[in-house]
Amino acid sequence: MNLFVDRYPEEAWIVRAALASSFLALFLGGIMGLIQGLHRTGFLQIVQDSTYYTVLTLHGVSMVLLFTIYFLVGFFQWAVTDSLDRSAEDIRFTKLWYFLMVAGTVMAAAAILGGFTDATNLEADVLYTFYAPLEAHPIFYIGLVTFVIGTWLAGVDWFRSWWAWKKEHPGERTPLRAFMVMTTMLMWYLATIGVAAAILFFILPWSLGLVDSVNSLLTRTLFWFFGHPVVYFWLMPAYMMWYVILPKLAGGRLFSDPLARIVFVLFLLLSVPTGIHHQYVDPGIAEGFKFVAMTNTMFLLLPSLLTAFTVVASMEHGARQRGGTGRLGWLRSLPWNKPAFTGMALAGLMFAAAGFSGMVNAGMNLNYVIHNTLWVPGHFHLTVGTAVALTFMASTYWFLPQITGNGVFSQRLGLVQVLLWFLGMVFMGNAMHRIGLAGEPRRTAEPFYDGVTFDTALGSISELHFQIALGSVILTVSLLLFMAHLFLSWFDVASNPAPDNGVIPEALSGPENAPIVLENLRLWTAIALVLILLTYALPLASIVSANGFFGSAGTLVGTAYEFAVSPFVGVVA
Amino acid sequence: MEIHRYETIWFAASLLLIVGFIGTITYGAVGVGVEMVDDSGGTVDPDNLGSHERFGDTGVHKVNESHYEVNMIAVHPSFIPSEIEIPAGSTVTFYMTASDVTHGFKLVDSNLNTMIIPGQVSEITAEFDEPGEYGFVCHEYCGSLHHEMAGNLSVVPEDEWGGVDS
Amino acid sequence: MNRPSPAGLLVALAFGIVFVVEGRTVLGMLGFELPLSVYFPVAGLLLVAMFVGLLLLPKTNSKQVAGT
Ligand code: HEM
Ligand SMILES: [Cu+2]
Ligand SMILES: [Cu+2]
């Protein structure tokens, strides 16, 4: 009786519910992705051009807010419960945050889906970045906030478990997985200050008509205050799997536990004070601020480079344990027949490729060439769309038995599925990057303009459009296989027994070797706050002093509101 | 804490790479003088562009023999003006702002690229030595006709240039 | 060298396709631009040859540890 579901049935229920929500969003988003891939290349246009943006909003929100974050909360619940080996402090509270997230999702989804029909005044064709003054129905913003509050409470839930555990284990090191969850959640609390402020103080009051206008640059800057660290929120569960599950699957164990902790602390410190790198080409922000963000961004490469080392080293160790030999020959001794392993390894490989295009994005001057071209979606379909998404899907082949008690349907089918995702992304990702270099913009229903031609250095634009369409189709096939396989495994169609392999081995170099100061999360949070203040206080102050909190116009209510709220906002910002 | 020797080497190499990146870009910005979009354009009231000294008068303006200014307003789904003609061999400074929502501007086949944000003025300068045709597009989603928002910049031989918009 | 397992063959094939796709990009960057009608047949044939080559290898008698 080693399976998680047998030890913690109630927590396993939450994990299953979160995963089900997550994959539902993935499925929906994937269908939208296919529509986009075929529409903007001109191969098949089943929606109106104007509806394309509703589709794209649904794709963005489903993928990067719902799919990723639902998966994260499910996975983190497992990580906390399993690694601390204790039940949730109060399972009703656990259910509360999950259902809050669901309530938020329903509201936001209703607003987005309303965009497909004229029957309601609900709509939210604002894409997942909702740059004001593009305006959605207020229920969209309320839904987003509710969803985020749900995640905040989830963090509270896990911190309560951790504090209770510490009381019972004075002087002991926090287990690695719990440590990773806590640092990630702290980062999340800091990051979400940005969107929460943007929505609650500015966008929501404006969409409700309480104030007349918004300061676009201010809400945009607050969005990216959140928008960069959110990518690490997607990535941290994937990193966690590379650190704790991949080495085990490879047949060995993690190389170094202390180094894994250092990596997560670095992410806590550096994730937020980088957001301005999404605004390199924004007017109204002085070059110096952009430069600071760039420097921080470059240093943020460090934890990822360290991760690359650890992951490869742990895999090699595993392969040698399995009898692998030779300089590269050990690669053959890895369990390539296991989709969980193969999927994660391929995801890691794609992430390395994405690292290169990421360096171009991060360079202030190179960014001018590719900003808002299709290069950018090319980049993040390799990061969140593969490094994260493929890791999540792959890990499910290992993870699902832990939380359902059933074995998976077919490892062979799973292998085909992860390979197809990899292939599809190679086609789509490669073509998106190249077409972006030719200047074709992203977020465009019809990149076919009179009098504007895009020339690629080699090949032809039509060849690249074909690659995008082909990639989209392969990806969708992979996704359908995944969903079918998930369904068959979940409902135990093949009645395969669950393998009893839920134990995560200790690292080669264990936690007792880690400097004790790593445990001091208060200290790291305080330093992170100082870094945020250093990078954001001046830019925000200058944006506000140039255009005010609410842009130009002001009504009586608006002015009164401004008067009442601004001192407070000033403190938060 | 014990750290494997390879790990130390990797760590050092990583740091070197990072510092190298920052170094090259600093050199690019300071040494070579690659110009960035920044706050030099100042701010405007997006609701009263008509009476603004610059944006009340959109189009091409001559500063002197070799320097021209282009004042542009982005409003879904067009650029005002969307057809621009300038003489070859000139330096052109673009001033752009938006009267409705956030837009973008990218001159295809160049690295001229900026966001256009209501309330802010984007100022970018470029040199056009040779005659040629350039397309430009709005690269930020701005509404249901976003994909139609584009324009054209013709760089014509000096003697063919038709003069400033009246 | 021994023949890879069926899973290994699948993985090899996937990587083969990736090399074909990216190969064109890389060749282009190096300044060799081949027409589509030349590149893909040649690259495709090479890929098939590689795959057949792998199949011709003697079967393994490897004593790999069973996966977990
Ligand atoms: C079936 C697989 C997928 C296909 C075919 C697909 C296709 C696309 C295409 C063609 C675009 C560009 C649309 C445009 O800019 O006009 C896009 C945008 C995007 N995709 Fe995907 N995608 C897929 C999976 C994913 C996954 C797994 C994620 C993340 C987890 C993701 C996240 C995004 C995001 C964030 C955008 C940008 C949305 C925006 O610009 O507002 N996609 N996708
Ligand atoms: Cu970022
Ligand atoms: Cu636009």
Side-chain angles (χ1 to χ4, degrees):
Chain A
M1 281 259 296
N2 208 358
L3 290 177
F4 183 74
V5 57
D6 299 326
R7 288 180 289 130
Y8 298 104
E10 290 191 298
E11 287 77 3
W13 186 88
I14 290 285
V15 179
R16 282 199 304 274
L19 255 60
S21 319
S22 165
F23 291 133
L24 200 64
L26 177 68
F27 177 64
L28 193 68
I31 301 303
M32 299 304 121
L34 177 66
I35 295 176
Q36 292 155 208
L38 298 178
H39 190 108
R40 64 167 293 146
T41 52
F43 282 93
L44 176 69
Q45 305 195 323
I46 59 169
V47 296
Q48 302 265 303
D49 282 348
S50 58
T51 310
Y52 180 87
Y53 304 104
T54 315
V55 169
L56 188 56
T57 307
L58 192 55
H59 181 71
V61 171
S62 306
M63 287 304 191
V64 296
L65 294 177
L66 304 179
F67 159 58
T68 47
I69 296 182
Y70 273 118
F71 191 95
L72 176 143
V73 294
F75 184 65
F76 276 14
Q77 182 63 51
W78 166 81
V80 170
T81 307
D82 194 55
S83 73
L84 299 179
D85 201 9
R86 63 183 293 130
S87 318
E89 300 314 294
D90 181 348
I91 195 75
R92 286 169 311 179
F93 185 72
T94 311
K95 290 194 170 139
L96 170 76
W97 60 251
Y98 171 70
F99 283 110
L100 257 184
M101 288 174 70
V102 173
T105 308
V106 170
M107 288 187 259
I112 300 173
L113 293 172
F116 285 112
T117 127
D118 292 333
T120 71
N121 67 346
L122 288 179
E123 62 114 24
D125 295 345
V126 292
L127 308 190
Y128 81 102
T129 43
F130 54 90
Y131 294 139
L134 285 174
E135 192 173 2
H137 191 280
I139 198 83
F140 175 72
Y141 305 114
I142 296 174
L144 291 185
V145 169
T146 311
F147 181 81
V148 169
I149 293 175
T151 64
W152 285 349
L153 295 185
V156 170
D157 197 11
W158 302 325
F159 267 97
R160 282 175 67 191
S161 290
W162 181 51
W163 286 325
W165 178 89
K166 284 218 299 196
K167 270 219 184 76
E168 289 169 18
H169 301 78
E172 278 183 42
R173 296 299 170 99
T174 305
L176 182 59
R177 279 174 287 164
F179 182 87
M180 290 171 162
V181 169
M182 302 310 148
T183 41
T184 306
M185 290 315 290
L186 286 171
M187 188 269 281
W188 180 242
Y189 286 123
L190 296 178
T192 41
I193 295 172
V195 254
I199 294 184
L200 291 176
F201 296 143
F202 304 113
I203 298 180
L204 188 58
W206 163 75
S207 79
L208 289 170
L210 292 175
V211 292
D212 264 5
S213 58
V214 286
N215 178 341
S216 311
L217 183 60
L218 176 62
T219 49
R220 184 180 159 81
T221 306
L222 289 173
F223 178 85
W224 286 114
F225 178 106
F226 152 85
H228 188 74
V230 75
V231 314
Y232 291 99
F233 199 54
W234 309 327
L235 209 53
M236 288 307 97
Y239 271 39
M240 195 157 147
M241 288 186 211
W242 299 348
Y243 276 109
V244 301
I245 299 179
L246 188 62
K248 167 196 168 72
L249 292 173
R253 41 172 66 191
L254 174 63
F255 211 61
S256 162
D257 171 300
L259 216 70
R261 290 175 200 249
I262 291 178
V263 164
F264 274 70
V265 167
L266 283 173
F267 279 120
L268 168 59
L269 294 182
L270 287 174
S271 291
V272 184
T274 50
I276 289 179
H277 69 207
H278 292 262
Q279 300 178 282
Y280 283 153
V281 308
D282 277 17
I285 299 180
E287 195 175 331
F289 300 142
K290 297 177 179 177
F291 195 80
V292 171
M294 181 192 71
T295 313
N296 290 345
T297 305
M298 293 294 180
F299 277 103
L300 198 47
L301 273 174
L302 190 63
S304 288
L305 288 167
L306 294 179
T307 302
F309 179 89
T310 313
V311 170
V312 175
S314 307
M315 274 175 22
E316 180 180 345
H317 174 74
R320 298 210 187 278
Q321 295 298 104
R322 295 165 59 94
T325 50
R327 214 159 241 277
L328 285 175
W330 56 268
L331 281 170
R332 286 194 64 184
S333 304
L334 289 166
W336 293 106
N337 56 339
K338 295 273 185 288
F341 171 82
T342 306
M344 282 194 222
L346 294 177
L349 193 67
M350 284 296 232
F351 194 55
F356 290 104
S357 63
M359 290 172 201
V360 171
N361 303 347
M364 257 162 84
N365 41 4
L366 292 175
N367 186 272
Y368 278 74
V369 180
I370 49 80
H371 178 82
N372 265 1
T373 67
L374 211 51
W375 169 285
V376 177
H379 166 74
F380 62 64
H381 279 90
L382 299 189
T383 56
V384 65
T386 302
V388 173
L390 186 54
T391 297
F392 286 3
M393 288 189 274
S395 70
T396 304
Y397 294 101
W398 175 83
F399 193 47
L400 201 64
Q402 316 297 323
I403 55 166
T404 59
N406 312 329
V408 299
F409 180 74
S410 156
Q411 299 278 345
R412 187 62 59 88
L413 193 63
L415 184 64
V416 172
Q417 187 265 318
V418 297
L419 286 173
L420 279 178
W421 189 274
F422 175 66
L423 265 188
M425 223 32 122
V426 166
F427 279 107
M428 192 169 92
N430 171 295
M432 280 179 159
H433 277 98
R434 284 174 54 192
I435 229 167
L437 281 180
E440 188 174 305
R442 64 183 285 203
R443 296 182 152 181
T444 293
E446 297 253 10
F448 310 103
Y449 303 89
D450 300 330
V452 182
T453 45
F454 304 105
D455 289 312
T456 104
L458 75 140
S460 64
I461 291 287
S462 60
E463 169 196 349
L464 294 176
H465 277 157
F466 175 73
Q467 274 191 30
I468 290 182
L470 178 65
S472 304
V473 171
I474 300 178
L475 284 166
T476 310
V477 171
S478 169
L479 179 62
L480 292 176
L481 275 183
F482 177 77
M483 295 305 294
H485 184 274
L486 185 73
F487 187 84
L488 293 172
S489 308
W490 200 299
F491 296 100
D492 205 15
V493 172
S495 305
N496 288 333
D500 192 11
N501 63 357
V503 181
I504 308 285
E506 283 284 317
L508 279 172
S509 162
E512 58 290 348
N513 296 321
I516 191 82
V517 63
L518 278 180
E519 288 275 318
N520 191 345
L521 294 186
R522 283 217 175 88
L523 173 69
W524 301 121
T525 312
I527 299 181
L529 262 173
V530 170
L531 286 175
I532 291 172
L533 278 176
L534 286 178
T535 28
Y536 268 105
L538 288 176
L540 285 175
S542 87
I543 291 169
V544 170
S545 71
N547 280 47
F549 280 104
F550 299 95
S552 52
T555 56
L556 202 59
V557 186
T559 320
Y561 175 81
E562 177 167 0
F563 189 71
V565 170
S566 23
F568 180 57
V569 177
V571 172
V572 174
Chain B
M1 180 171 78
E2 54 177 282
I3 297 184
H4 198 277
R5 191 166 61 90
Y6 288 156
E7 216 155 3
T8 320
I9 296 173
W10 180 266
F11 184 83
S14 302
L15 271 182
L16 208 66
L17 181 79
I18 291 170
V19 174
F21 276 141
I22 299 177
T24 17
I25 293 165
T26 313
Y27 173 73
V30 182
V32 187
V34 179
E35 217 194 314
M36 310 276 162
V37 179
D38 58 13
D39 56 352
S40 59
T43 61
V44 288
D45 176 359
D47 296 329
N48 290 307
L49 293 180
S51 54
H52 187 266
E53 56 166 325
R54 189 177 284 291
F55 295 104
D57 189 12
T58 54
V60 182
H61 298 276
K62 184 169 180 171
V63 182
N64 60 39
E65 275 320 306
S66 61
H67 191 189
Y68 295 81
E69 289 180 348
V70 181
N71 300 334
M72 275 172 97
I73 296 176
V75 48
H76 175 256
S78 21
F79 289 103
I80 308 170
S82 62
E83 300 293 328
I84 301 171
E85 194 180 279
I86 52 145
S90 56
T91 302
V92 181
T93 305
F94 296 86
Y95 295 91
M96 302 180 217
T97 193
S99 65
D100 53 355
V101 296
T102 299
H103 299 266
F105 172 91
K106 177 165 172 71
L107 192 71
V108 178
D109 284 334
S110 79
N111 64 353
L112 289 193
N113 192 331
T114 181
M115 300 304 300
I116 309 178
I117 300 177
Q120 308 291 332
V121 179
S122 311
E123 178 191 340
I124 46 179
T125 298
E127 276 165 34
F128 295 91
D129 295 334
E130 298 298 323
E133 291 287 324
Y134 293 89
F136 55 86
V137 297
C138 171
H139 66 50
E140 186 54 85
Y141 166 67
C142 54
S144 55
L145 294 175
H146 161 61
H147 47 273
E148 293 182 3
M149 189 161 166
N152 237 291
L153 174 84
S154 319
V155 184
V156 297
E158 252 171 296
D159 47 353
E160 286 172 28
W161 187 58
V164 296
D165 308 346
S166 52
Chain C
M1 204 170 117
N2 292 320
R3 183 200 302 181
S5 64
L9 284 173
L10 264 181
V11 175
L13 185 64
F15 275 96
I17 299 177
V18 171
F19 277 114
V20 169
V21 175
E22 300 290 348
R24 192 166 146 78
T25 313
V26 174
L27 279 180
M29 289 192 313
L30 297 176
F32 303 99
E33 195 175 338
L34 302 170
L36 282 183
S37 55
V38 176
Y39 179 80
F40 278 108
V42 173
L45 276 180
L46 280 178
L47 185 66
V48 172
M50 173 207 83
F51 198 70
V52 173
L54 282 180
L55 281 178
L56 289 179
L57 290 170
K59 267 206 164 162
T60 12
N61 45 0
S62 101
K63 31 187 185 331
Q64 277 201 352
V65 195
T68 40

